[in-house]
Amino acid sequence: MSGSLIAKNLRIQREARWLVDDISLELRPGERVALIGPNGAGKSTLLRLLTGYLPAEHGELLLAGQPLSGWPAQALSRQRAVMLQHTRGLANWPVAAVVAMGRAPWGPLHEHSIVQQVLALTGCDTFANRLCGTLSGGEQQRVQLARCLAQLWNNGAPQGWLFLDEPTSALDLRHQQHLMRLLKTLTSGANLHVFTVLHDLNLAALWASRVLLMHQGKLVAEGKPEAVIQAPIINRWYGAEVLVGEHPKEGAPQVFLCS
């Protein structure tokens, strides 16, 4: 994977309110970026702008030096996969078939073997033949992650740009840990970038190589977890009284609400 995804002065407005207001950033191969911020900060809107799901009213978006809007749909689908919070219309599809949908940009080449690999990686192999409508919310999230990984799978591993909107919201602790460890392993070869909207600040601190903090449409803080997840910063932008300590094993910052 070569090049970066570069956003320059992105802006989008709804009813006289700037949902994303003049945001510029660069997403580099091999990174794990967590986007945090209070409710209504514009996180999901920014994710949709960065992926091309929404057109920006102002600004520029470049992938590997080319405008994102100029990428052919099939070529872009081989480079960028998106897992949104809600996916409808798949209740009557078997899990394995939904994961196989991710291979559509590639055609039938090695489809079965890749789908089987990804089902096993994400722990979806145990319910691969069940209908999606019979699954729990957490199981459905894992299926959507598997579909995205299948979409980016190339030469034995996922490559490109993976965007996830609250991928752990319905997962129990075990599966949260498995998901974040898996994504860390998959990015270690510098061929996959993962950009994740997260509400769990402690999970973001343990997992991300870089944290972005949004508030009212603006990017107000950016850097390594220890630079962004600090009590004064969280107090100011979340409006919550917190203490920030250190994880006893990992050394990452951890947030504690004051009673």
Side-chain angles (χ1 to χ4, degrees):
M1 186 168 97
S2 61
S4 297
L5 180 63
I6 298 173
K8 298 179 180 179
N9 308 112
L10 295 184
R11 301 184 88 191
I12 188 168
Q13 188 178 32
R14 290 290 183 272
E15 298 179 354
R17 177 181 170 227
W18 289 105
L19 301 182
V20 171
D21 189 1
D22 196 29
I23 286 184
S24 297
L25 55 88
E26 180 178 359
L27 304 179
R28 295 174 287 271
E31 281 189 309
R32 300 181 307 277
V33 172
L35 178 62
I36 65 173
N39 293 338
K43 301 184 297 297
S44 293
T45 303
L46 177 59
L47 181 144
R48 285 165 169 78
L49 289 176
L50 293 172
T51 57
Y53 275 47
L54 276 178
E57 294 176 8
H58 302 276
E60 187 177 19
L61 194 59
L62 302 172
L63 177 58
Q66 302 180 46
L68 193 70
S69 59
W71 277 73
Q74 184 180 34
L76 182 59
S77 293
R78 290 182 175 189
Q79 292 288 324
R80 182 268 291 128
V82 187
M83 175 181 160
L84 300 176
Q85 287 189 48
H86 306 290
T87 305
R88 298 179 177 87
L90 299 175
N92 295 321
W93 286 84
V95 166
V98 171
V99 175
M101 290 177 185
R103 296 304 298 167
W106 301 89
L109 186 64
H110 307 307
E111 177 182 301
H112 179 75
S113 62
I114 290 171
V115 168
Q116 295 306 308
Q117 274 184 276
V118 171
L119 286 168
L121 264 181
T122 54
C124 296
D125 50 341
T126 57
F127 47 82
N129 296 319
R130 288 175 57 186
L131 298 180
C132 283
T134 68
L135 303 179
S136 69
E139 289 169 335
Q140 291 186 37
Q141 282 188 314
R142 288 155 58 194
V143 171
Q144 292 307 320
L145 174 65
R147 176 188 57 78
C148 289
L149 293 178
Q151 181 179 333
L152 296 178
W153 205 269
N154 188 21
N155 294 324
Q159 299 183 26
W161 308 86
L162 176 59
F163 291 85
L164 309 172
D165 196 353
E166 287 294 328
T168 60
S169 59
L171 299 182
D172 59 32
L173 286 176
R174 174 184 168 226
H175 287 104
Q176 285 184 29
Q177 186 179 60
H178 176 266
L179 175 98
M180 304 319 265
R181 284 177 172 174
L182 173 61
L183 293 177
K184 186 175 284 191
T185 299
L186 293 175
T187 55
S188 64
N191 289 318
L192 179 71
H193 174 103
V194 181
F195 181 98
T196 306
V197 175
L198 284 174
H199 272 299
D200 189 326
L201 302 185
N202 292 336
L203 201 58
L206 282 170
W207 171 80
S209 55
R210 183 157 57 114
V211 175
L212 311 177
L213 172 57
M214 282 187 74
H215 183 266
Q216 293 185 358
K218 291 186 175 293
L219 190 60
V220 295
E222 176 183 1
K224 293 183 177 181
E226 58 269 24
V228 175
I229 301 178
Q230 300 182 14
I233 293 174
I234 302 304
N235 289 340
R236 177 181 180 183
W237 298 113
Y238 278 81
E241 187 179 353
V242 301
L243 298 172
V244 175
E246 188 175 284
H247 191 283
K249 181 179 178 182
E250 306 295 338
Q254 297 288 276
V255 178
F256 305 90
L257 282 173
C258 296
S259 59

Short mmCIF file of all heavy atoms in Angstrom, two decimals, residues 151-186:
data_model
loop_
_atom_site.label_atom_id
_atom_site.label_comp_id
_atom_site.label_asym_id
_atom_site.label_seq_id
_atom_site.Cartn_x
_atom_site.Cartn_y
_atom_site.Cartn_z
N GLN A 151 -13.42 -7.78 1.81
CA GLN A 151 -13.38 -6.79 0.73
C GLN A 151 -11.97 -6.30 0.46
O GLN A 151 -11.60 -6.04 -0.69
CB GLN A 151 -14.29 -5.61 1.07
CG GLN A 151 -14.35 -4.54 -0.01
CD GLN A 151 -15.28 -3.41 0.38
OE1 GLN A 151 -16.24 -3.60 1.15
NE2 GLN A 151 -15.03 -2.21 -0.13
N LEU A 152 -11.15 -6.18 1.51
CA LEU A 152 -9.80 -5.65 1.36
C LEU A 152 -8.74 -6.73 1.21
O LEU A 152 -7.56 -6.42 1.08
CB LEU A 152 -9.46 -4.76 2.57
CG LEU A 152 -10.31 -3.50 2.74
CD1 LEU A 152 -9.90 -2.75 4.01
CD2 LEU A 152 -10.20 -2.58 1.53
N TRP A 153 -9.15 -8.00 1.24
CA TRP A 153 -8.19 -9.10 1.24
C TRP A 153 -7.47 -9.19 -0.11
O TRP A 153 -8.09 -9.29 -1.16
CB TRP A 153 -8.89 -10.41 1.54
CG TRP A 153 -7.99 -11.44 2.13
CD1 TRP A 153 -7.26 -12.37 1.46
CD2 TRP A 153 -7.71 -11.66 3.52
NE1 TRP A 153 -6.55 -13.17 2.34
CE2 TRP A 153 -6.80 -12.74 3.61
CE3 TRP A 153 -8.15 -11.04 4.69
CZ2 TRP A 153 -6.34 -13.22 4.82
CZ3 TRP A 153 -7.68 -11.51 5.91
CH2 TRP A 153 -6.79 -12.59 5.97
N ASN A 154 -6.15 -9.16 -0.06
CA ASN A 154 -5.36 -9.20 -1.28
C ASN A 154 -3.98 -9.76 -0.95
O ASN A 154 -3.31 -9.28 -0.04
CB ASN A 154 -5.23 -7.79 -1.87
CG ASN A 154 -4.59 -7.79 -3.24
OD1 ASN A 154 -4.57 -8.80 -3.94
ND2 ASN A 154 -4.04 -6.64 -3.63
N ASN A 155 -3.57 -10.82 -1.63
CA ASN A 155 -2.26 -11.43 -1.41
C ASN A 155 -2.07 -11.90 0.03
O ASN A 155 -1.04 -11.66 0.66
CB ASN A 155 -1.14 -10.48 -1.80
CG ASN A 155 -1.11 -10.21 -3.29
OD1 ASN A 155 -1.40 -11.10 -4.10
ND2 ASN A 155 -0.79 -8.98 -3.66
N GLY A 156 -3.11 -12.53 0.58
CA GLY A 156 -2.97 -13.18 1.88
C GLY A 156 -3.29 -12.35 3.10
O GLY A 156 -3.14 -12.84 4.22
N ALA A 157 -3.73 -11.10 2.92
CA ALA A 157 -4.03 -10.25 4.07
C ALA A 157 -4.85 -9.05 3.60
O ALA A 157 -4.84 -8.72 2.41
CB ALA A 157 -2.75 -9.76 4.74
N PRO A 158 -5.56 -8.38 4.53
CA PRO A 158 -6.27 -7.17 4.12
C PRO A 158 -5.29 -6.02 3.90
O PRO A 158 -4.36 -5.82 4.68
CB PRO A 158 -7.20 -6.89 5.32
CG PRO A 158 -6.54 -7.55 6.48
CD PRO A 158 -5.80 -8.73 5.93
N GLN A 159 -5.52 -5.28 2.82
CA GLN A 159 -4.67 -4.14 2.49
C GLN A 159 -5.56 -2.97 2.10
O GLN A 159 -6.55 -3.15 1.41
CB GLN A 159 -3.74 -4.49 1.33
CG GLN A 159 -2.80 -5.64 1.60
CD GLN A 159 -1.83 -5.91 0.44
OE1 GLN A 159 -1.51 -5.02 -0.32
NE2 GLN A 159 -1.37 -7.14 0.33
N GLY A 160 -5.18 -1.78 2.55
CA GLY A 160 -5.94 -0.60 2.18
C GLY A 160 -6.40 0.18 3.38
O GLY A 160 -5.69 0.31 4.37
N TRP A 161 -7.65 0.65 3.32
CA TRP A 161 -8.18 1.59 4.30
C TRP A 161 -9.48 1.06 4.85
O TRP A 161 -10.47 0.90 4.13
CB TRP A 161 -8.39 2.95 3.63
CG TRP A 161 -7.16 3.41 2.93
CD1 TRP A 161 -6.76 3.09 1.65
CD2 TRP A 161 -6.10 4.20 3.48
NE1 TRP A 161 -5.54 3.66 1.37
CE2 TRP A 161 -5.11 4.34 2.47
CE3 TRP A 161 -5.91 4.82 4.71
CZ2 TRP A 161 -3.95 5.06 2.66
CZ3 TRP A 161 -4.75 5.54 4.91
CH2 TRP A 161 -3.79 5.65 3.90
N LEU A 162 -9.49 0.78 6.15
CA LEU A 162 -10.65 0.21 6.81
C LEU A 162 -11.23 1.24 7.77
O LEU A 162 -10.54 1.71 8.68
CB LEU A 162 -10.25 -1.06 7.58
CG LEU A 162 -11.33 -1.75 8.42
CD1 LEU A 162 -12.50 -2.18 7.55
CD2 LEU A 162 -10.74 -2.96 9.14
N PHE A 163 -12.50 1.60 7.56
CA PHE A 163 -13.18 2.59 8.39
C PHE A 163 -14.30 1.90 9.16
O PHE A 163 -15.15 1.23 8.57
CB PHE A 163 -13.77 3.70 7.51
CG PHE A 163 -12.74 4.58 6.87
CD1 PHE A 163 -12.15 4.22 5.67
CD2 PHE A 163 -12.37 5.78 7.46
CE1 PHE A 163 -11.19 5.02 5.07
CE2 PHE A 163 -11.41 6.59 6.88
CZ PHE A 163 -10.82 6.21 5.68
N LEU A 164 -14.29 2.10 10.48
CA LEU A 164 -15.25 1.43 11.37
C LEU A 164 -15.94 2.46 12.25
O LEU A 164 -15.28 3.26 12.91
CB LEU A 164 -14.52 0.41 12.25
CG LEU A 164 -13.61 -0.60 11.55
CD1 LEU A 164 -12.81 -1.40 12.58
CD2 LEU A 164 -14.40 -1.53 10.65
N ASP A 165 -17.27 2.43 12.27
CA ASP A 165 -18.04 3.36 13.09
C ASP A 165 -18.60 2.61 14.29
O ASP A 165 -19.54 1.81 14.16
CB ASP A 165 -19.17 3.98 12.27
CG ASP A 165 -19.76 5.22 12.93
OD1 ASP A 165 -19.38 5.51 14.09
OD2 ASP A 165 -20.58 5.90 12.29
N GLU A 166 -18.03 2.82 15.45
CA GLU A 166 -18.44 2.17 16.70
C GLU A 166 -18.48 0.64 16.57
O GLU A 166 -19.51 0.01 16.83
CB GLU A 166 -19.80 2.70 17.15
CG GLU A 166 -19.77 4.11 17.69
CD GLU A 166 -18.99 4.20 19.00
OE1 GLU A 166 -19.00 3.23 19.79
OE2 GLU A 166 -18.37 5.25 19.24
N PRO A 167 -17.37 0.00 16.21
CA PRO A 167 -17.40 -1.45 15.97
C PRO A 167 -17.51 -2.30 17.23
O PRO A 167 -17.77 -3.50 17.14
CB PRO A 167 -16.06 -1.71 15.28
CG PRO A 167 -15.15 -0.66 15.83
CD PRO A 167 -16.02 0.56 15.99
N THR A 168 -17.31 -1.71 18.40
CA THR A 168 -17.33 -2.49 19.64
C THR A 168 -18.57 -2.21 20.49
O THR A 168 -18.69 -2.74 21.59
CB THR A 168 -16.09 -2.17 20.51
OG1 THR A 168 -16.09 -0.77 20.83
CG2 THR A 168 -14.81 -2.50 19.76
N SER A 169 -19.51 -1.41 19.98
CA SER A 169 -20.63 -0.94 20.82
C SER A 169 -21.49 -2.07 21.34
O SER A 169 -22.07 -1.95 22.43
CB SER A 169 -21.49 0.06 20.04
OG SER A 169 -22.01 -0.54 18.86
N ALA A 170 -21.61 -3.18 20.60
CA ALA A 170 -22.46 -4.29 21.04
C ALA A 170 -21.66 -5.52 21.46
O ALA A 170 -22.24 -6.57 21.71
CB ALA A 170 -23.43 -4.68 19.91
N LEU A 171 -20.34 -5.38 21.55
CA LEU A 171 -19.50 -6.53 21.87
C LEU A 171 -19.26 -6.66 23.36
O LEU A 171 -19.10 -5.66 24.07
CB LEU A 171 -18.15 -6.41 21.16
CG LEU A 171 -18.15 -6.37 19.63
CD1 LEU A 171 -16.72 -6.31 19.12
CD2 LEU A 171 -18.89 -7.55 19.04
N ASP A 172 -19.20 -7.89 23.85
CA ASP A 172 -18.81 -8.12 25.24
C ASP A 172 -17.29 -7.93 25.37
O ASP A 172 -16.58 -7.71 24.39
CB ASP A 172 -19.26 -9.51 25.71
CG ASP A 172 -18.68 -10.65 24.88
OD1 ASP A 172 -17.55 -10.51 24.37
OD2 ASP A 172 -19.36 -11.69 24.74
N LEU A 173 -16.81 -8.00 26.61
CA LEU A 173 -15.40 -7.71 26.86
C LEU A 173 -14.46 -8.63 26.08
O LEU A 173 -13.46 -8.18 25.51
CB LEU A 173 -15.10 -7.83 28.36
CG LEU A 173 -15.63 -6.70 29.24
CD1 LEU A 173 -15.33 -7.01 30.70
CD2 LEU A 173 -15.01 -5.37 28.85
N ARG A 174 -14.78 -9.91 26.04
CA ARG A 174 -13.91 -10.86 25.33
C ARG A 174 -13.80 -10.50 23.86
O ARG A 174 -12.70 -10.49 23.28
CB ARG A 174 -14.47 -12.28 25.50
CG ARG A 174 -13.70 -13.32 24.68
CD ARG A 174 -14.34 -14.70 24.80
NE ARG A 174 -13.77 -15.58 23.79
CZ ARG A 174 -14.48 -16.38 23.01
NH1 ARG A 174 -15.79 -16.38 23.10
NH2 ARG A 174 -13.91 -17.17 22.14
N HIS A 175 -14.92 -10.19 23.23
CA HIS A 175 -14.90 -9.93 21.80
C HIS A 175 -14.36 -8.53 21.49
O HIS A 175 -13.79 -8.31 20.42
CB HIS A 175 -16.29 -10.15 21.21
CG HIS A 175 -16.66 -11.60 21.13
ND1 HIS A 175 -17.55 -12.19 22.01
CD2 HIS A 175 -16.21 -12.60 20.32
CE1 HIS A 175 -17.65 -13.48 21.72
NE2 HIS A 175 -16.85 -13.75 20.71
N GLN A 176 -14.52 -7.58 22.42
CA GLN A 176 -13.83 -6.29 22.25
C GLN A 176 -12.32 -6.51 22.20
O GLN A 176 -11.63 -5.97 21.34
CB GLN A 176 -14.17 -5.35 23.42
CG GLN A 176 -15.55 -4.75 23.37
CD GLN A 176 -15.76 -3.77 24.51
OE1 GLN A 176 -14.82 -3.14 24.98
NE2 GLN A 176 -17.00 -3.64 24.95
N GLN A 177 -11.83 -7.29 23.15
CA GLN A 177 -10.39 -7.56 23.22
C GLN A 177 -9.92 -8.28 21.97
O GLN A 177 -8.87 -7.92 21.39
CB GLN A 177 -10.09 -8.39 24.47
CG GLN A 177 -8.61 -8.61 24.72
CD GLN A 177 -8.38 -9.43 25.98
OE1 GLN A 177 -8.85 -10.57 26.09
NE2 GLN A 177 -7.68 -8.85 26.95
N HIS A 178 -10.67 -9.27 21.53
CA HIS A 178 -10.29 -10.02 20.33
C HIS A 178 -10.25 -9.11 19.11
O HIS A 178 -9.30 -9.16 18.31
CB HIS A 178 -11.27 -11.17 20.10
CG HIS A 178 -11.00 -11.93 18.84
ND1 HIS A 178 -11.64 -11.64 17.64
CD2 HIS A 178 -10.16 -12.96 18.56
CE1 HIS A 178 -11.21 -12.46 16.70
NE2 HIS A 178 -10.31 -13.26 17.22
N LEU A 179 -11.27 -8.24 18.97
CA LEU A 179 -11.33 -7.36 17.82
C LEU A 179 -10.15 -6.41 17.79
O LEU A 179 -9.48 -6.25 16.75
CB LEU A 179 -12.63 -6.55 17.84
CG LEU A 179 -12.74 -5.51 16.74
CD1 LEU A 179 -13.55 -6.04 15.57
CD2 LEU A 179 -13.36 -4.23 17.23
N MET A 180 -9.84 -5.77 18.90
CA MET A 180 -8.77 -4.78 18.91
C MET A 180 -7.40 -5.45 18.75
O MET A 180 -6.52 -4.89 18.09
CB MET A 180 -8.83 -3.95 20.19
CG MET A 180 -10.17 -3.26 20.42
SD MET A 180 -10.91 -2.55 18.93
CE MET A 180 -10.36 -0.86 18.99
N ARG A 181 -7.22 -6.63 19.31
CA ARG A 181 -5.97 -7.36 19.09
C ARG A 181 -5.83 -7.76 17.63
O ARG A 181 -4.72 -7.69 17.06
CB ARG A 181 -5.92 -8.59 19.99
CG ARG A 181 -5.60 -8.28 21.45
CD ARG A 181 -5.64 -9.53 22.31
NE ARG A 181 -5.15 -9.27 23.67
CZ ARG A 181 -5.18 -10.15 24.66
NH1 ARG A 181 -5.67 -11.38 24.43
NH2 ARG A 181 -4.72 -9.85 25.85
N LEU A 182 -6.92 -8.19 17.03
CA LEU A 182 -6.89 -8.59 15.62
C LEU A 182 -6.50 -7.40 14.74
O LEU A 182 -5.64 -7.52 13.86
CB LEU A 182 -8.25 -9.14 15.21
CG LEU A 182 -8.43 -9.45 13.72
CD1 LEU A 182 -7.44 -10.51 13.25
CD2 LEU A 182 -9.87 -9.90 13.44
N LEU A 183 -7.13 -6.25 14.98
CA LEU A 183 -6.84 -5.08 14.15
C LEU A 183 -5.40 -4.61 14.36
O LEU A 183 -4.74 -4.16 13.41
CB LEU A 183 -7.82 -3.95 14.48
CG LEU A 183 -9.28 -4.22 14.10
CD1 LEU A 183 -10.16 -3.06 14.54
CD2 LEU A 183 -9.43 -4.47 12.61
N LYS A 184 -4.89 -4.73 15.58
CA LYS A 184 -3.50 -4.36 15.82
C LYS A 184 -2.55 -5.28 15.06
O LYS A 184 -1.56 -4.82 14.46
CB LYS A 184 -3.20 -4.41 17.32
CG LYS A 184 -1.81 -3.91 17.68
CD LYS A 184 -1.60 -3.86 19.19
CE LYS A 184 -2.31 -2.68 19.82
NZ LYS A 184 -1.91 -2.47 21.24
N THR A 185 -2.86 -6.56 15.03
CA THR A 185 -2.04 -7.51 14.29
C THR A 185 -2.09 -7.24 12.80
O THR A 185 -1.07 -7.24 12.11
CB THR A 185 -2.51 -8.96 14.56
OG1 THR A 185 -2.37 -9.24 15.96
CG2 THR A 185 -1.70 -9.96 13.76
N LEU A 186 -3.28 -6.96 12.28
CA LEU A 186 -3.44 -6.76 10.84
C LEU A 186 -2.78 -5.49 10.34
O LEU A 186 -2.41 -5.40 9.17
CB LEU A 186 -4.94 -6.76 10.49
CG LEU A 186 -5.67 -8.09 10.68
CD1 LEU A 186 -7.16 -7.92 10.40
CD2 LEU A 186 -5.08 -9.17 9.79
#
